[in-house]
Amino acid sequence: MFTPLTQVFLPLALSGLVITWIIVPTIRYFLDRKRLRQYPGPLPAAFTDLWMMYKHYTGGRTKSIHELHKKYGKIVRVGPESLSFASLEAVKDIHGHGTAAFKDKFYTSLAGDHRQLLDSIDKEQHAKKRKLFAAAFAQKSVEEKEHNVREDIQELINQWDKLASPQPPADQTVFQPHELIDARRWLNLLMLDLAGDFAFSMKLGFVAQGDDLTTCETIRGEKYLAHPEASINPNLQIISTLGYARSSFFKINRKLFSWHRGWKDGDIITDFITHLVKTRLSADADGKERSDFFHALNYTRDGVPIGMEMGELIQECSLLMVAGSETTTCALQNIFHYLIRNPRCMETLYEEVATAFDDEDEVVPAYDRIKFLPYLRAVIDETLRHRPSLAIALPRVTPPEGMSIAGVWVPGNTTVSTPTWTIHHDPELFEAPFEFRPERWLGESGAHLQTSFVPFSTGARACVGRNMAYMELSLIVATLVHRYHFALSSPDWEPTIYETMVIKSGPMPVKIWRRASAKAS
Ligand code: HEM
């Protein structure tokens, strides 16, 4: 039976939905004030952001946008007020130094109570923050952390040496669960350990304990145990999906989607970082100067305290832990997946890195000896080209007066983006783009290709952690390839892909066994 309340409320709510989702978008579409109807794209996307939200939420955004560009060309309409540009010229115009574009309101959905470096939209605010980060991420500061990276990798080796199994017969290609380790999980634990070391000079010990169960602490001081790593993906999934909605709907959408586990997961990540920040603050009481990211955020170069608010500090440190571990975990898993699938590349890499080890006892080589190894860098770059970790198309918005992008005038307040994955698979830029060919990066032609390679983006908002990423990836890949042989659980194994901000994979079961040349410890 309908009560009088539902008799009134239900029709009102339904009319509201029809007006919001059907009538207003239809009028907007036909008025076409920005003249975006001239750009091809899926019809639903021209009416509603729900098309993009659905594609993103279900993990199909990158592939769908790629197919659209294949069908329609370099410019595609992917939302009522949103254009995707698949060209290098557009990358330069939208992201390059001096661009007139701003970060889109998409980033507001990612922001907590305080803006951090990545989600700061205001250019002045960003420039101020970036200065603080720049000191901690300069090549010299990064290389000062080499000993921490080496220690953490050594811990992984201690664990993997125990888990390594005997060499299988040459014709065995399928392995039983008891012979396998989840390489993705271990690499993720290692990247979190490294991020903790770099940010807080603290040993999280996740690799040592083989798990990320750790203390989380609310701002009020209530402590509990949780697994932060498993919380990252669901949190990124919901906050990035809602980023594609109209910004006026952000608050209401948060209520509508309050059932999603990603919100609770977001609290776990914040509480994990809050505990680290509080612990690191109390460590400061001993007056010893620690050279870590936390110090760079809190003190000027002359040691004067900056006085950053606790909330802001927690947000910046969260960014570092998440951005610094998720992207590199994806890259590492992909590197090993490609190398295992391409034994010739694995052996070429082994031959090269073997020259960088001082003697048979050395486990982790010195960074100085591997940082210019061409094939090692080529394997990393080819992986980041083929599967860029951060596949999100980095949405920007044009300034109110509009701007020119790749020779086209785009009206003001239009969302514009450049799909990295599609650009990296453009046959005009990369020959045989779907093949894994590290050799393409060697020599002069390889150096030339770098101009078409944008996994870290470009311009003032490009990745600040690039130097750190190369050092970590190079040391880890060289060490593991030098020490172990790898095999997938079966020849037809394929990763399960979870696409949110990053394109992360599920577990990667592999069998590892020691190389004969890596001396038994
Ligand atoms: C393979 C590894 C990595 C890849 C592919 C990558 C990629 C990117 C990309 C594409 C952006 C631009 C995001 C945007 O425009 O919204 C970015 C920004 C950023 N990355 Fe990375 N990243 C990697 C590793 C790291 C590491 C190791 C750290 C920290 C230790 C880090 C910290 C950051 C930060 C703080 C920003 C924000 C920069 C700003 O807005 O000024 N990244 N990264």
Side-chain angles (χ1 to χ4, degrees):
M1 275 300 261
F2 287 119
T3 64
L5 192 65
T6 47
Q7 277 171 351
V8 177
F9 182 73
L10 208 61
L12 262 182
L14 283 176
S15 330
L17 285 178
V18 170
I19 292 171
T20 313
W21 292 112
I22 299 177
I23 299 182
V24 173
T26 308
I27 294 173
R28 222 186 307 126
Y29 176 79
F30 284 107
L31 279 180
D32 195 24
R33 286 219 184 93
K34 293 191 178 176
R35 303 182 54 76
L36 299 185
R37 234 165 55 208
Q38 60 181 304
Y39 298 108
L43 193 62
F47 282 89
T48 169
D49 292 308
L50 284 175
W51 180 85
M52 182 64 114
M53 290 170 74
Y54 173 77
K55 291 287 176 193
H56 186 76
Y57 187 79
T58 52
R61 183 185 40 77
T62 295
K63 284 270 152 64
S64 300
I65 303 270
H66 184 70
E67 290 307 317
L68 290 175
H69 279 293
K70 247 171 57 186
K71 187 169 169 193
Y72 296 120
K74 302 276 185 206
I75 312 178
V76 176
R77 187 178 193 179
V78 292
E81 307 224 333
S82 179
L83 297 176
S84 172
F85 289 81
S87 72
L88 278 182
E89 207 185 340
V91 170
K92 200 164 141 271
D93 291 340
I94 295 174
H95 301 284
H97 283 288
T99 178
F102 292 83
K103 279 209 161 178
D104 186 57
K105 40 90 175 135
F106 170 88
Y107 291 86
T108 301
S109 178
L110 307 187
D113 296 336
H114 295 78
R115 295 269 173 180
Q116 28 87 330
L117 185 74
L118 181 95
D119 56 41
S120 297
I121 289 178
D122 181 78
K123 289 189 180 180
E124 240 177 74
Q125 181 189 44
H126 173 262
K128 223 165 113 194
K129 282 176 178 289
R130 180 95 183 195
K131 238 188 206 169
L132 292 179
F133 275 68
F137 282 93
Q139 183 73 21
K140 191 168 158 285
S141 319
V142 164
E143 289 190 18
E144 277 169 13
K145 299 300 269 179
E146 180 184 341
H147 65 281
N148 299 66
V149 180
R150 292 162 61 97
E151 270 170 27
D152 290 332
I153 299 176
Q154 177 64 58
E155 192 54 60
L156 184 76
I157 297 298
N158 298 344
Q159 295 282 20
W160 279 22
D161 276 0
K162 287 185 252 164
L163 294 166
S165 44
Q167 177 170 0
D171 59 350
Q172 187 179 350
T173 55
V174 177
F175 300 97
Q176 297 309 309
H178 71 269
E179 297 174 274
L180 302 166
I181 63 165
D182 178 2
R184 207 272 301 156
R185 171 88 173 139
W186 281 104
L187 294 168
N188 208 151
L189 296 177
L190 173 61
M191 296 326 296
L192 282 164
D193 274 356
L194 285 168
D197 229 331
F198 178 66
F200 303 105
S201 304
M202 275 159 57
K203 294 279 174 214
L204 299 185
F206 288 169
V207 168
Q209 69 184 32
D211 194 72
D212 64 326
L213 186 68
T214 192
T215 304
C216 299
E217 180 174 355
T218 66
I219 200 76
R220 292 176 303 282
E222 292 126 356
K223 292 188 185 162
Y224 61 97
L225 291 174
H227 288 98
E229 188 271 309
S231 295
I232 295 176
N233 235 27
N235 178 250
L236 289 181
Q237 182 190 33
I238 191 66
I239 59 176
S240 55
T241 298
L242 298 189
Y244 288 110
R246 291 182 78 74
S247 47
S248 46
F249 292 171
F250 280 176
K251 274 202 180 133
I252 192 163
N253 276 343
R254 281 196 176 218
K255 290 220 163 78
L256 277 175
F257 290 85
S258 57
W259 51 268
H260 196 279
R261 67 166 276 197
W263 304 114
K264 177 82 194 99
D265 282 319
D267 292 341
I268 292 176
I269 299 163
T270 306
D271 295 345
F272 163 52
I273 306 298
T274 304
H275 181 67
L276 293 175
V277 168
K278 286 186 176 183
T279 312
R280 176 65 180 75
L281 274 172
S282 22
D284 257 357
D286 66 8
K288 243 175 49 191
E289 188 180 313
R290 292 165 176 82
S291 90
D292 52 23
F293 173 73
F294 189 87
H295 183 85
L297 269 189
N298 282 288
Y299 298 92
T300 65
R301 280 175 199 212
D302 311 321
V304 180
I306 288 170
M308 188 176 279
E309 255 185 68
M310 185 69 168
E312 191 178 355
L313 197 53
I314 292 171
Q315 292 297 326
E316 298 295 3
C317 293
S318 302
L319 165 65
L320 199 79
M321 293 295 289
V322 174
S325 64
E326 287 290 284
T327 49
T328 41
T329 299
C330 298
L332 279 172
Q333 172 168 13
N334 293 330
I335 288 171
F336 281 98
H337 184 206
Y338 285 131
L339 287 175
I340 300 169
R341 283 235 177 275
N342 295 277
R344 184 192 52 78
C345 300
M346 178 75 96
E347 286 319 298
T348 308
L349 180 58
Y350 171 76
E351 295 297 329
E352 184 186 75
V353 297
T355 62
F357 284 74
D358 264 347
D359 56 48
E360 281 195 9
D361 287 328
E362 191 171 53
V363 177
V364 188
Y367 186 45
D368 249 0
R369 304 196 64 175
I370 58 162
K371 71 177 167 189
F372 298 119
L373 291 180
Y375 201 76
L376 175 60
R377 176 60 77 99
V379 165
I380 296 173
D381 285 355
E382 179 64 349
T383 305
L384 291 175
R385 179 196 70 79
H386 211 313
R387 283 200 195 150
S389 310
L390 218 136
I392 191 104
L394 314 177
R396 303 292 189 256
V397 67
T398 55
E401 66 277 14
M403 68 184 277
S404 174
I405 299 174
V408 169
W409 184 256
V410 182
N413 302 316
T414 304
T415 299
V416 287
S417 54
T418 50
T420 309
W421 199 90
T422 298
I423 291 167
H424 283 181
H425 290 80
D426 181 344
E428 286 172 23
L429 301 174
F430 297 96
E431 197 188 313
F434 288 87
E435 284 176 25
F436 180 74
R437 281 192 195 170
E439 290 72 17
R440 74 173 84 235
W441 297 99
L442 303 176
E444 223 172 276
S445 57
H448 181 69
L449 272 189
Q450 287 289 342
T451 52
S452 314
F453 179 57
V454 284
F456 297 98
S457 189
T458 182
R461 306 303 300 249
C463 181
V464 75
R466 188 175 179 276
N467 295 333
M468 186 76 194
Y470 274 119
M471 180 169 84
E472 291 176 339
L473 296 178
S474 305
L475 283 170
I476 295 167
V477 173
T479 303
L480 298 182
V481 165
H482 181 246
R483 196 166 185 88
Y484 305 106
H485 285 286
F486 296 80
L488 294 170
S489 53
S490 71
D492 53 5
W493 180 88
E494 282 298 331
T496 321
I497 305 288
Y498 302 104
E499 180 177 342
T500 59
M501 294 277 288
V502 287
I503 299 193
K504 195 168 178 175
S505 307
M508 182 162 90
V510 294
K511 176 180 167 72
I512 55 167
W513 65 101
R514 291 282 295 275
R515 282 190 184 268
S517 53
K519 207 177 135 188
S521 47

